[in-house]
Coordinates of all heavy atoms in Angstrom, one line a residue:
Chain B
P995 N -172.1 57.3 118.2 CA -173.1 57.2 117.2 C -174.5 57.8 117.6 O -175.2 58.4 116.7 CB -173.2 55.7 116.9 CG -172.6 55.1 118.1 CD -171.5 56.0 118.6
T996 N -174.9 57.7 118.8 CA -176.3 58.2 119.1 C -176.3 59.7 119.1 O -177.3 60.3 118.9 CB -176.8 57.7 120.5 OG1 -175.8 58.0 121.5 CG2 -177.0 56.2 120.5
Q997 N -175.1 60.3 119.4 CA -175.1 61.8 119.3 C -175.3 62.2 117.8 O -176.1 63.1 117.5 CB -173.7 62.3 119.7 CG -173.5 63.8 119.6 CD -174.4 64.6 120.6 OE1 -174.5 64.2 121.8 NE2 -175.0 65.7 120.2
A998 N -174.7 61.5 116.9 CA -174.8 61.9 115.5 C -176.3 61.6 115.0 O -176.9 62.4 114.3 CB -173.9 61.1 114.6
L999 N -176.9 60.6 115.5 CA -178.2 60.2 115.2 C -179.2 61.3 115.7 O -180.1 61.7 115.0 CB -178.6 58.9 115.7 CG -178.0 57.7 114.9 CD1 -178.1 56.4 115.7 CD2 -178.6 57.5 113.5
L1000 N -179.0 61.8 116.9 CA -179.9 62.8 117.5 C -179.7 64.1 116.8 O -180.6 64.9 116.6 CB -179.7 62.9 119.0 CG -178.5 63.5 119.6 CD1 -178.7 65.0 119.8 CD2 -178.2 62.9 121.0
D1001 N -178.4 64.4 116.4 CA -178.2 65.6 115.6 C -178.9 65.6 114.3 O -179.5 66.5 113.9 CB -176.7 65.8 115.4 CG -175.9 66.2 116.6 OD1 -176.5 66.6 117.6 OD2 -174.7 66.1 116.6
A1002 N -178.9 64.4 113.7 CA -179.5 64.3 112.4 C -181.0 64.4 112.6 O -181.7 65.0 111.7 CB -179.2 62.9 111.8
L1003 N -181.6 63.8 113.6 CA -183.0 63.9 113.9 C -183.4 65.4 114.1 O -184.4 65.8 113.6 CB -183.4 63.0 115.1 CG -184.9 62.9 115.4 CD1 -185.6 62.2 114.2 CD2 -185.1 62.2 116.7
A1004 N -182.6 66.1 114.9 CA -182.9 67.5 115.1 C -182.9 68.3 113.8 O -183.8 69.1 113.6 CB -181.8 68.1 116.1
I1005 N -181.9 68.0 113.0 CA -181.9 68.8 111.7 C -183.1 68.4 110.8 O -183.8 69.2 110.3 CB -180.6 68.5 110.9 CG1 -179.4 68.9 111.7 CG2 -180.6 69.1 109.5 CD1 -178.0 68.4 111.2
R1006 N -183.4 67.1 110.8 CA -184.4 66.6 109.9 C -185.8 67.2 110.3 O -186.6 67.5 109.5 CB -184.5 65.1 109.9 CG -185.1 64.5 108.6 CD -185.0 63.0 108.6 NE -186.0 62.4 109.6 CZ -186.3 61.1 109.5 NH1 -185.8 60.3 108.6 NH2 -187.2 60.6 110.4
R1007 N -186.0 67.3 111.6 CA -187.3 67.8 112.1 C -187.4 69.3 111.9 O -188.5 69.8 111.7 CB -187.4 67.5 113.6 CG -187.7 66.0 113.9 CD -187.8 65.6 115.3 NE -188.9 66.2 116.0 CZ -190.1 65.5 116.2 NH1 -190.2 64.3 115.7 NH2 -191.1 66.1 116.8
R1008 N -186.3 70.0 111.9 CA -186.4 71.4 111.6 C -186.5 71.7 110.1 O -187.2 72.6 109.7 CB -185.1 72.2 112.2 CG -185.2 72.4 113.6 CD -186.0 73.6 114.0 NE -185.9 73.9 115.4 CZ -185.3 75.0 115.9 NH1 -184.8 75.9 115.0 NH2 -185.1 75.2 117.2
L1009 N -185.6 71.1 109.3 CA -185.5 71.4 107.9 C -186.1 70.4 107.0 O -186.1 70.6 105.7 CB -184.0 71.7 107.5 CG -183.3 72.7 108.4 CD1 -181.8 72.9 107.9 CD2 -184.0 74.1 108.3
G1010 N -186.5 69.3 107.5 CA -187.2 68.3 106.7 C -186.3 67.4 105.9 O -186.8 66.4 105.3
R1011 N -185.0 67.6 105.9 CA -184.1 66.7 105.2 C -182.7 66.9 105.6 O -182.4 67.8 106.4 CB -184.2 67.1 103.7 CG -183.6 68.5 103.4 CD -183.9 69.1 102.1 NE -183.7 70.5 102.1 CZ -182.6 71.1 101.7 NH1 -181.6 70.4 101.1 NH2 -182.4 72.4 101.8
L1012 N -181.8 66.1 105.2 CA -180.4 66.2 105.4 C -179.6 66.4 104.1 O -178.6 67.1 104.0 CB -179.9 64.9 106.1 CG -180.4 64.7 107.6 CD1 -180.2 63.3 108.0 CD2 -179.6 65.6 108.5
E1013 N -180.2 65.8 103.1 CA -179.5 65.8 101.8 C -179.3 67.2 101.3 O -180.3 68.0 101.3 CB -180.4 65.0 100.8 CG -179.6 64.6 99.5 CD -180.5 63.8 98.5 OE1 -181.6 63.4 98.9 OE2 -180.0 63.6 97.4
G1014 N -178.2 67.5 100.8 CA -177.9 68.8 100.2 C -177.6 69.9 101.1 O -177.2 71.0 100.7
L1015 N -177.7 69.7 102.4 CA -177.4 70.7 103.4 C -175.9 70.9 103.5 O -175.2 70.0 103.4 CB -178.0 70.4 104.7 CG -179.5 70.3 104.8 CD1 -179.9 69.9 106.3 CD2 -180.2 71.6 104.4
V1016 N -175.6 72.2 103.8 CA -174.1 72.5 104.1 C -174.0 72.5 105.6 O -174.6 73.3 106.3 CB -173.7 73.8 103.5 CG1 -172.3 74.1 103.9 CG2 -173.8 73.7 101.9
V1017 N -173.2 71.6 106.1 CA -173.0 71.5 107.6 C -171.6 71.8 107.9 O -170.7 71.1 107.4 CB -173.4 70.1 108.1 CG1 -173.3 70.1 109.6 CG2 -174.8 69.7 107.7
A1018 N -171.3 72.8 108.7 CA -170.0 73.1 109.2 C -169.8 72.6 110.6 O -170.5 73.0 111.5 CB -169.8 74.6 109.1
I1019 N -168.8 71.8 110.8 CA -168.5 71.3 112.1 C -167.2 72.0 112.5 O -166.2 72.0 111.8 CB -168.2 69.7 112.1 CG1 -169.4 69.0 111.4 CG2 -168.0 69.2 113.5 CD1 -169.2 67.5 111.3
C1020 N -167.3 72.7 113.7 CA -166.2 73.6 114.0 C -165.6 73.3 115.3 O -166.3 73.0 116.3 CB -166.8 75.1 114.1 SG -167.8 75.5 112.7
G1021 N -164.3 73.4 115.4 CA -163.6 73.3 116.7 C -162.6 72.1 116.7 O -162.0 71.8 115.8
D1022 N -162.6 71.5 117.9 CA -161.6 70.4 118.1 C -162.0 69.1 117.4 O -162.5 68.2 118.1 CB -161.5 70.2 119.6 CG -160.4 69.2 120.0 OD1 -159.7 68.7 119.0 OD2 -160.1 69.0 121.2
I1023 N -161.8 69.0 116.1 CA -162.1 67.8 115.4 C -161.2 66.7 115.8 O -161.6 65.5 115.9 CB -161.9 68.1 113.8 CG1 -162.6 69.4 113.4 CG2 -162.4 66.9 113.0 CD1 -164.1 69.4 113.4
L1024 N -159.9 67.0 116.0 CA -158.9 66.0 116.3 C -159.3 65.1 117.4 O -159.2 63.9 117.3 CB -157.6 66.7 116.8 CG -156.4 65.9 117.1 CD1 -155.9 65.1 115.9 CD2 -155.2 66.7 117.6
H1025 N -159.9 65.6 118.5 CA -160.2 64.8 119.7 C -161.7 64.4 119.7 O -162.2 63.9 120.7 CB -159.8 65.5 121.0 CG -158.4 65.8 121.0 ND1 -157.9 67.1 120.8 CD2 -157.3 65.0 121.3 CE1 -156.5 67.1 120.9 NE2 -156.2 65.9 121.3
S1026 N -162.4 64.7 118.6 CA -163.9 64.6 118.7 C -164.5 63.3 118.1 O -164.4 63.2 116.9 CB -164.5 65.8 118.1 OG -165.9 65.7 118.2
R1027 N -165.1 62.5 119.0 CA -165.9 61.4 118.5 C -167.2 61.9 117.9 O -167.7 61.2 117.0 CB -166.1 60.4 119.6 CG -166.7 61.0 120.8 CD -166.6 60.1 122.0 NE -167.0 60.7 123.3 CZ -166.5 60.4 124.4 NH1 -165.4 59.5 124.5 NH2 -166.9 60.9 125.5
V1028 N -167.7 63.0 118.4 CA -168.9 63.5 117.8 C -168.7 63.9 116.4 O -169.5 63.6 115.5 CB -169.4 64.7 118.7 CG1 -170.6 65.4 118.0 CG2 -169.7 64.3 120.1
A1029 N -167.6 64.6 116.1 CA -167.3 65.0 114.7 C -167.2 63.8 113.8 O -167.8 63.8 112.7 CB -166.0 65.8 114.7
R1030 N -166.5 62.8 114.3 CA -166.3 61.6 113.4 C -167.6 61.0 113.1 O -167.9 60.6 111.9 CB -165.3 60.6 114.0 CG -163.9 61.1 113.9 CD -162.9 60.1 114.7 NE -161.5 60.5 114.5 CZ -161.0 61.5 115.2 NH1 -161.7 62.3 116.0 NH2 -159.7 61.8 115.1
S1031 N -168.5 60.8 114.1 CA -169.8 60.1 113.8 C -170.6 61.0 112.9 O -171.3 60.5 112.0 CB -170.5 59.9 115.1 OG -169.9 58.8 115.8
N1032 N -170.6 62.3 113.1 CA -171.4 63.2 112.3 C -170.8 63.2 110.8 O -171.6 63.3 109.9 CB -171.4 64.6 112.9 CG -172.6 64.8 113.8 OD1 -173.7 64.5 113.3 ND2 -172.4 65.3 115.0
I1033 N -169.5 63.2 110.7 CA -169.0 63.2 109.3 C -169.5 61.9 108.6 O -170.0 62.0 107.4 CB -167.5 63.2 109.3 CG1 -167.0 64.6 109.8 CG2 -166.9 63.0 107.9 CD1 -165.5 64.7 110.1
H1034 N -169.4 60.8 109.2 CA -169.9 59.6 108.6 C -171.4 59.7 108.3 O -171.9 59.3 107.2 CB -169.7 58.3 109.5 CG -168.3 58.0 109.7 ND1 -167.4 57.7 108.7 CD2 -167.6 57.7 110.8 CE1 -166.2 57.4 109.1 NE2 -166.3 57.4 110.5
L1035 N -172.2 60.1 109.3 CA -173.6 60.1 109.1 C -174.1 61.1 108.0 O -174.8 60.8 107.1 CB -174.4 60.5 110.4 CG -175.9 60.3 110.3 CD1 -176.5 59.8 111.6 CD2 -176.6 61.6 110.0
L1036 N -173.5 62.3 108.1 CA -173.9 63.4 107.1 C -173.5 63.0 105.7 O -174.3 63.2 104.7 CB -173.3 64.7 107.5 CG -173.9 65.3 108.8 CD1 -173.1 66.4 109.4 CD2 -175.4 65.7 108.6
N1037 N -172.4 62.3 105.5 CA -172.0 61.9 104.2 C -172.9 60.8 103.7 O -173.3 60.8 102.5 CB -170.5 61.3 104.3 CG -169.5 62.4 104.0 OD1 -169.4 62.9 102.8 ND2 -168.8 62.8 105.0
A1038 N -173.3 59.9 104.6 CA -174.2 58.8 104.2 C -175.5 59.4 103.7 O -176.1 58.8 102.8 CB -174.4 57.8 105.3
M1039 N -175.9 60.5 104.3 CA -177.2 61.0 104.0 C -177.2 62.1 102.9 O -178.2 62.8 102.7 CB -177.9 61.6 105.3 CG -178.1 60.6 106.4 SD -179.0 59.1 105.9 CE -180.6 59.8 105.8
G1040 N -176.0 62.3 102.4 CA -175.9 63.2 101.2 C -175.8 64.7 101.6 O -176.0 65.6 100.7
A1041 N -175.4 65.0 102.8 CA -175.1 66.4 103.2 C -173.7 66.7 102.7 O -172.9 65.9 102.5 CB -175.3 66.6 104.7
H1042 N -173.4 68.0 102.7 CA -172.1 68.5 102.4 C -171.4 68.9 103.7 O -171.9 69.8 104.4 CB -172.2 69.7 101.4 CG -170.9 70.1 100.9 ND1 -170.2 69.5 99.9 CD2 -170.1 71.2 101.4 CE1 -169.0 70.1 99.7 NE2 -168.9 71.1 100.6
V1043 N -170.3 68.2 104.0 CA -169.7 68.5 105.3 C -168.4 69.3 105.2 O -167.6 69.0 104.4 CB -169.4 67.1 106.0 CG1 -168.9 67.3 107.4 CG2 -170.6 66.2 106.0
R1044 N -168.3 70.3 106.1 CA -167.1 71.0 106.2 C -166.6 70.8 107.6 O -167.3 70.7 108.6 CB -167.3 72.5 106.0 CG -167.7 72.8 104.6 CD -167.9 74.3 104.5 NE -168.5 74.7 103.3 CZ -169.2 75.9 103.1 NH1 -169.3 76.7 104.2 NH2 -169.7 76.2 102.0
V1045 N -165.2 70.8 107.8 CA -164.7 70.9 109.1 C -163.9 72.2 109.2 O -163.2 72.6 108.3 CB -163.8 69.7 109.5 CG1 -164.7 68.5 109.7 CG2 -162.7 69.4 108.5
V1046 N -164.1 72.9 110.3 CA -163.4 74.2 110.4 C -162.6 74.2 111.7 O -163.2 74.1 112.8 CB -164.5 75.4 110.5 CG1 -163.8 76.7 110.4 CG2 -165.5 75.2 109.4
A1047 N -161.3 74.4 111.6 CA -160.5 74.3 112.8 C -159.1 74.8 112.5 O -158.7 74.7 111.3 CB -160.4 72.9 113.4
P1048 N -158.3 75.2 113.5 CA -156.9 75.4 113.2 C -156.2 74.0 112.9 O -156.7 73.0 113.4 CB -156.3 76.0 114.5 CG -157.3 75.6 115.5 CD -158.6 75.5 114.9
P1049 N -155.2 74.0 112.0 CA -154.6 72.7 111.7 C -154.2 71.9 112.9 O -154.2 70.6 112.8 CB -153.3 73.1 110.8 CG -153.7 74.5 110.3 CD -154.5 75.1 111.4
T1050 N -153.9 72.5 114.0 CA -153.4 71.7 115.2 C -154.6 70.9 115.8 O -154.4 70.0 116.6 CB -152.9 72.6 116.2 OG1 -153.8 73.7 116.4 CG2 -151.5 73.1 115.9
L1051 N -155.8 71.2 115.4 CA -157.0 70.5 115.9 C -157.7 69.7 114.9 O -158.8 69.3 115.0 CB -158.0 71.5 116.6 CG -157.5 72.1 117.9 CD1 -158.5 73.1 118.4 CD2 -157.3 71.1 119.0
L1052 N -156.9 69.4 113.8 CA -157.5 68.6 112.7 C -156.7 67.3 112.6 O -155.5 67.3 112.5 CB -157.4 69.3 111.4 CG -158.5 70.4 111.1 CD1 -158.1 71.2 109.9 CD2 -159.9 69.8 111.0
P1053 N -157.4 66.1 112.5 CA -156.6 64.9 112.3 C -156.1 64.8 110.8 O -156.7 65.4 109.9 CB -157.6 63.8 112.6 CG -158.9 64.4 112.4 CD -158.8 65.9 112.6
R1054 N -155.1 64.0 110.6 CA -154.5 63.8 109.3 C -155.6 63.2 108.4 O -156.3 62.3 108.8 CB -153.3 62.9 109.3 CG -152.0 63.6 109.5 CD -150.9 62.8 109.0 NE -149.6 63.5 109.1 CZ -148.5 63.0 108.6 NH1 -148.5 61.8 107.9 NH2 -147.4 63.7 108.7
A1055 N -155.5 63.6 107.1 CA -156.3 63.0 106.1 C -157.8 63.0 106.4 O -158.6 62.1 105.9 CB -155.9 61.6 105.8
V1056 N -158.3 64.0 107.2 CA -159.7 64.0 107.5 C -160.6 64.2 106.3 O -161.7 63.8 106.2 CB -160.0 65.1 108.6 CG1 -159.8 66.5 108.1 CG2 -161.4 65.0 109.2
E1057 N -160.0 64.9 105.2 CA -160.7 65.1 104.0 C -161.1 63.8 103.4 O -162.1 63.7 102.7 CB -159.9 66.0 103.0 CG -158.6 65.4 102.5 CD -157.5 65.4 103.5 OE1 -157.6 66.0 104.6 OE2 -156.4 64.8 103.1
R1058 N -160.3 62.7 103.6 CA -160.6 61.4 103.0 C -161.8 60.7 103.7 O -162.3 59.7 103.2 CB -159.4 60.5 103.0 CG -158.5 60.8 101.8 CD -157.4 59.8 101.7 NE -156.1 60.4 101.9 CZ -155.1 59.7 102.3 NH1 -155.1 58.4 102.5 NH2 -153.9 60.3 102.6
M1059 N -162.2 61.3 104.8 CA -163.5 60.8 105.5 C -164.7 61.5 104.8 O -165.8 61.1 105.2 CB -163.5 61.1 107.0 CG -162.5 60.2 107.7 SD -162.5 60.6 109.5 CE -164.1 60.1 110.0
G1060 N -164.4 62.4 104.0 CA -165.6 63.1 103.4 C -165.9 64.5 104.0 O -167.0 64.8 104.3
A1061 N -164.8 65.3 104.3 CA -165.1 66.6 104.9 C -164.2 67.6 104.2 O -163.0 67.3 103.9 CB -164.8 66.6 106.3
E1062 N -164.7 68.7 103.8 CA -164.0 69.8 103.2 C -163.3 70.6 104.4 O -163.9 71.0 105.3 CB -165.0 70.7 102.5 CG -164.4 71.7 101.6 CD -165.5 72.5 100.9 OE1 -166.3 71.9 100.1 OE2 -165.6 73.7 101.2
V1063 N -162.0 70.8 104.2 CA -161.2 71.4 105.3 C -161.1 72.9 105.2 O -160.8 73.4 104.1 CB -159.8 70.8 105.4 CG1 -159.0 71.5 106.5 CG2 -159.9 69.3 105.7
H1064 N -161.5 73.6 106.3 CA -161.3 75.1 106.3 C -160.6 75.5 107.6 O -160.8 74.9 108.6 CB -162.7 75.7 106.3 CG -163.4 75.6 105.0 ND1 -163.4 76.6 104.1 CD2 -164.2 74.6 104.6 CE1 -164.1 76.2 103.0 NE2 -164.6 75.0 103.3
H1065 N -159.7 76.5 107.4 CA -159.0 76.9 108.6 C -159.5 78.2 109.1 O -159.0 78.7 110.2 CB -157.5 77.1 108.3 CG -156.9 75.8 107.9 ND1 -157.0 74.6 108.5 CD2 -156.1 75.5 106.8 CE1 -156.4 73.6 107.9 NE2 -155.8 74.1 106.9
T1066 N -160.5 78.9 108.4 CA -161.1 80.1 109.0 C -162.6 80.0 109.0 O -163.2 79.3 108.2 CB -160.7 81.3 108.1 OG1 -161.4 81.1 106.8 CG2 -159.2 81.4 107.8
M1067 N -163.2 80.6 110.0 CA -164.6 80.6 110.1 C -165.3 81.3 108.9 O -166.4 81.0 108.5 CB -165.1 81.3 111.4 CG -164.6 80.5 112.7 SD -165.5 78.9 112.9 CE -166.7 79.4 114.1
K1068 N -164.6 82.3 108.4 CA -165.2 83.1 107.3 C -165.5 82.2 106.1 O -166.6 82.3 105.5 CB -164.2 84.2 106.9 CG -164.8 85.3 106.2 CD -163.9 86.5 106.1 CE -164.6 87.6 105.3 NZ -163.9 88.9 105.4

Side-chain angles (χ1 to χ4, degrees):
Chain B
T996 56
Q997 179 71 43
L999 287 163
L1000 73 88
D1001 289 345
L1003 186 63
I1005 298 169
R1006 205 177 75 162
R1007 287 175 70 93
R1008 282 280 188 112
L1009 302 180
R1011 67 193 162 100
L1012 291 159
E1013 196 180 350
L1015 297 179
V1016 176
V1017 182
I1019 308 175
C1020 311
D1022 186 358
I1023 312 290
L1024 181 63
H1025 301 100
S1026 178
R1027 51 197 174 211
V1028 174
R1030 284 174 179 78
S1031 287
N1032 266 310
I1033 292 170
H1034 291 308
L1035 187 143
L1036 292 165
N1037 270 290
M1039 301 306 286
H1042 184 81
V1043 186
R1044 295 179 190 158
V1045 288
V1046 191
T1050 48
L1051 289 176
L1052 284 169
R1054 269 204 179 186
V1056 67
E1057 67 284 352
R1058 276 189 249 157
M1059 286 178 71
E1062 188 182 296
V1063 175
H1064 290 266
H1065 299 313
T1066 67
M1067 294 289 266
K1068 197 167 184 175

